[in-house]
Structure formats: structure tokens, C-alpha cells
Amino acid sequence: FPINPYGKAKKMAEDIILDFSKSRKSDMSVMILRYFNVIGSDPEGRLGEAPPPELREHGRISGACFDAALGIIPGLKVKGTDYETADGTCVRDYIDVTDLVDAHVKALNKAERGKVGIYNVGTGRGRSVKEFVEACKKATGVDIKVDYFPRRPGDYAEVYSNPARINRELNWTAQHTELQESLRVAWTWQKKHRSGYADSGRYIF
């Protein structure tokens, strides 16, 4: 039951996949993974978050925090401080990319033709935007400037996963749940790749 246009678009994509999987022409095995907010980086330093410039301003909060820490932007813009949460900012579920990769591998290994699996891939725990920003400050060692603005239309106060099904059916549980540590690993990559993948002409999300 999507709560905003973004969620509706995701659900429509799922419905298309499911409709096709039911058709006579298909012998697909279908595994749908519903990601929550992806953070982190490859622990071995090979890959990291590098959106194209035109998407930086509207990208993930982690990217914005790192851009502020690097001085690419003057500070972080936080929208909404009057939600019904512990500190007034939105609460979200952040999943480390390493755990996300593991979920994909387990889903592929379990996939069977003619069967459908739909799974939430998250920690099941919400963290507030203020918590996230404080963790990012500690991970980067930079006192990031934060400006607060009114709410963004369509944002709900709390959105986090219920990963019980993927825990039960795929034996998957998020392992990298220390927010500051995930951000520290990602920050190590960001410092070494200030221009992202620009030199190779590729962008990795």
C-alpha cells in the first residue's frame, strides 16, 4: 500500500513483473527485493557512491553529508524538524550495501521457476535524520554545517522495514548495522575519489 508517488511507481514496476511472470510465455523465477536507504561502500575500497553532478543535490543523505564534509557544498539541508518522532526529524531504515549484496546472492540461490519471492531488505530499525548527521560528523571528523527547513511534501515521519520474511525464508539478516562504521567505510572511499568515476567516464550508484 504505497504512501506517496515514489512508492506507487515502485509498486507499479512490481505489478508489471508479477503480471509477466504469470503469463504463458514466461518461465521466470521472480525475486523482488524492496530496498530501504542504502549506505556504505565496498570494504575493500573498489566501489563507492558517485552520482552524476545533476543528481547530487537531490540524492541520498549520505552523499549530501559527504559532499558537505568535502566542502563541495556549503552544508547539509534538513527538511522537517516537527515530525512526531523522538527528535522531530524523519526516521528511516538504513541498509549497508554489503548486506544488500548478500541479500541478492541469497535470493538468486533460492530462486525457482514459477515461484515468486518478495522481500524487504532492511535492518528493521529506524534512525532519525539527526542521528544520521551526528554519525556522519563522527565518521568524517568534520563538523558539518546543518540548515533546517520546513517539511518536504509527501514525507512520512517514520519508514522502516519488517525483514521477518527474508530472515525466515532466505536466512538473511543485516550484519553491518553500526551506522557510524558504515559511514566511516564509505568516507574512506569518498576521500580517495573526490571526482568519483569521472576519470573512467562511468557512474556507479
Side-chain angles (χ1 to χ4, degrees):
F1 301 98
I3 59 176
N4 55 32
Y6 178 74
K8 287 180 181 178
K10 293 282 191 181
K11 182 63 168 60
M12 289 169 72
E14 287 187 5
D15 289 343
I16 292 169
I17 294 168
L18 294 173
D19 286 346
F20 182 76
S21 72
K22 295 172 186 174
S23 72
R24 294 179 181 178
K25 297 179 180 179
S26 173
D27 61 354
M28 290 175 63
S29 55
V30 175
M31 301 296 261
I32 292 174
L33 303 184
R34 294 173 172 169
Y35 307 170
F36 283 70
N37 296 268
V38 184
I39 58 170
S41 193
D42 170 31
E44 296 183 23
R46 295 165 297 184
L47 300 170
E49 182 180 1
E54 64 271 18
L55 295 181
R56 294 187 85 107
E57 186 178 348
H58 305 288
R60 299 185 182 97
I61 186 174
S62 56
C65 279
F66 294 142
D67 280 354
L70 290 167
I72 295 171
I73 59 175
L76 189 65
K77 297 177 181 178
V78 173
K79 297 182 179 180
T81 58
D82 59 348
Y83 289 97
E84 292 183 4
T85 59
D87 61 23
T89 61
C90 287
V91 170
R92 297 293 184 264
D93 190 344
Y94 297 96
I95 179 73
D96 191 287
V97 68
T98 304
D99 285 327
L100 192 61
V101 169
D102 184 47
H104 279 79
V105 172
K106 288 187 173 178
L108 287 169
N109 288 339
K110 191 78 172 182
E112 295 182 45
R113 286 185 176 181
K115 292 189 177 181
V116 174
I118 302 178
Y119 301 101
N120 293 329
V121 186
T123 67
R125 176 185 175 188
R127 309 289 186 91
S128 76
V129 170
K130 282 186 178 179
E131 278 184 89
F132 190 98
V133 173
E134 288 306 309
C136 198
K137 287 181 179 180
K138 291 176 181 177
T140 62
V142 178
D143 187 16
I144 298 166
K145 179 177 179 290
V146 183
D147 292 315
Y148 295 97
F149 295 87
R151 295 185 185 191
R152 185 174 61 177
D155 274 346
Y156 271 59
E158 296 187 64
V159 180
Y160 52 91
S161 68
N162 177 357
R165 187 178 183 191
I166 193 170
N167 296 163
R168 183 178 65 251
E169 296 184 8
L170 301 188
N171 192 31
W172 177 92
T173 303
Q175 301 297 315
H176 301 80
T177 57
E178 291 297 325
L179 187 58
Q180 187 176 326
E181 177 60 16
S182 291
L183 292 172
R184 185 197 64 78
V185 172
W187 175 240
T188 299
W189 190 90
Q190 292 290 330
K191 287 190 296 183
K192 293 178 179 178
H193 301 83
R194 291 181 64 96
S195 299
Y197 296 92
D199 293 338
S200 63
R202 297 185 298 121
Y203 290 108
I204 304 295
F205 293 88

